[in-house]
Amino acid sequence: MKIARVIGTVTLAKVHPDLQGLPLRLVQAMERLDENRQPVFGGEEIVTCDSLGAGIGDWIALAEGPEAAQPYRPLVKPIDANTAAILDSIEL
């Protein structure tokens, strides 16, 4: 699981039938902590399925790989990343 920040919304002209109605967000993964232990977001950009309603600027917990599709079982969704949680705060 990664920490990421929502930086945009993804809109599709055509979509796989199993993704119909699922909102997609563009997120940027946390790269590292700076010298003041503050998160630096500059990691890879990932398109994630977001059924929780995260908005631009929100921090999220990002599940990737086979675990990303687990909340939709027994349906099979062709996703590789999913918003697992919207983070209120992080204390280091």
Side-chain angles (χ1 to χ4, degrees), residues 29-70:
M30 187 177 84
E31 187 177 274
R32 60 183 171 83
L33 296 175
D34 67 11
E35 60 278 352
N36 297 322
R37 298 186 55 84
Q38 295 300 310
V40 175
F41 293 94
E44 64 180 322
E45 293 171 348
I46 303 165
V47 175
T48 182
C49 197
D50 176 36
S51 59
L52 300 179
I56 294 176
D58 286 346
W59 291 13
I60 63 166
L62 180 68
E64 294 183 290
E67 292 79 17
Q70 290 303 311

Side-chain angles (χ1 to χ4, degrees), residues 10 16 20 24 26 45 47 54 58 70 73 82-83 89-90:
V10 177
H16 189 281
Q20 194 70 36
L24 301 176
L26 184 63
E45 293 171 348
V47 175
D58 286 346
Q70 290 303 311
R73 286 188 72 196
N82 190 38
T83 302
S89 64
I90 299 174

